[in-house]
Amino acid sequence: MNSALAARAEQFDKDITEKEHQLEADEKDRLLKEHAEEMSKFKDTLTNQKEKQMTNMKARLEERRKLKEKKLKEKQDAELNKIQEEEEREQLSLQQEETKKK
């Protein structure tokens, strides 16, 4: 009977050790899954931030391009106005000369 009890005790110890190992393995798996989820969230956050930065950068570049176009158009308009004013002065001058001749 003692040997049967000893065998049961030994089997009980083996079962306990096996369950402890299984619990440790389960805990490691759980921790690894949690870590993987956290890393995935972190990666998603970084990706979203990068996308926002790229969108903002594109918007700023577009604003700069439009501003440059606007400044160029203003410069061209100013030059055109200057040329037109010079032509008008020349015409006025010619008209005044013709009026003096008459």
Side-chain angles (χ1 to χ4, degrees), residues 7-23:
R8 284 182 71 194
E10 189 177 320
Q11 185 61 40
F12 182 73
D13 285 343
K14 284 181 183 179
D15 289 345
I16 294 260
T17 303
E18 198 174 293
K19 287 193 185 225
E20 285 175 345
H21 289 304
Q22 185 60 43
L23 286 173

Side-chain angles (χ1 to χ4, degrees), residues 48-82:
N48 290 339
Q49 287 176 348
K50 185 176 180 181
E51 287 174 2
K52 286 180 185 178
Q53 287 175 343
M54 292 299 290
T55 301
N56 289 339
M57 190 184 324
K58 286 178 184 176
R60 285 194 307 268
L61 288 172
E62 182 65 19
E63 286 176 22
R64 287 182 192 162
R65 185 188 62 78
K66 286 180 180 178
L67 184 61
K68 284 181 181 180
E69 285 178 1
K70 183 180 176 185
K71 286 182 179 180
L72 179 62
K73 185 174 183 332
E74 289 173 354
K75 184 178 178 182
Q76 289 172 341
D77 289 346
E79 288 175 6
L80 183 61
N81 286 340
K82 185 178 176 183

Side-chain angles (χ1 to χ4, degrees), residues 26-39:
D26 290 348
E27 180 67 9
K28 284 181 183 178
D29 286 346
R30 185 187 66 78
L31 291 173
L32 285 172
K33 285 179 185 175
E34 283 180 8
H35 181 68
E37 288 173 4
E38 289 173 6
M39 293 305 292

